[in-house]
């Protein structure tokens, strides 16, 4: 696994065809190995643009903080 932290916000399309946001937190153990925990928000969005706008407004995220899948 890479030692580079993952982007903290992931916008992905699920099986139902709606976009969901996953908030990821990366921390490092004593050996420098990354430990990533994630939580998917209950909100669902019809478009990717709406999901990205929500992340920018609610979490004050930059575009470089958002990953798309």
């Amino acid at each position: 696994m890479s030692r580079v932290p993952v982007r903290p916000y992931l916008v992905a399309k699920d099986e139902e065809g709606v976009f969901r946001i996953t908030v990821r937190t990366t921390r490092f153990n004593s050996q420098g190995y990354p430990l990533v925990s994630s939580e998917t928000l209950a909100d669902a969005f019809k478009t990717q643009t709406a999901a990205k706008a929500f992340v920018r407004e609610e979490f004050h995220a930059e575009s470089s903080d958002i990953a798309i899948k």
Side-chain angles (χ1 to χ4, degrees):
M1 177 174 232
S2 173
R3 293 183 184 257
V4 177
V6 295
R7 292 182 181 182
Y9 306 101
L10 173 66
V11 176
K13 194 176 212 180
D14 67 3
E15 309 84 39
E16 300 168 1
V18 295
F19 290 91
R20 302 230 181 242
I21 299 169
T22 302
V23 179
R24 304 183 289 191
T25 305
T26 303
R27 60 187 181 89
F28 296 91
N29 68 7
S30 60
Q31 285 81 34
Y33 189 80
L35 303 171
V36 180
S37 58
S38 63
E39 176 186 352
T40 302
L41 302 180
D43 298 326
F45 302 91
K46 290 184 180 182
T47 65
Q48 178 180 339
T49 305
K52 288 171 63 176
F54 178 82
V55 171
R56 282 191 213 110
E57 290 173 11
E58 293 297 317
F59 298 104
H60 304 289
E62 299 290 327
S63 293
S64 60
D65 293 336
I66 303 170
I68 305 298
K69 184 173 180 181

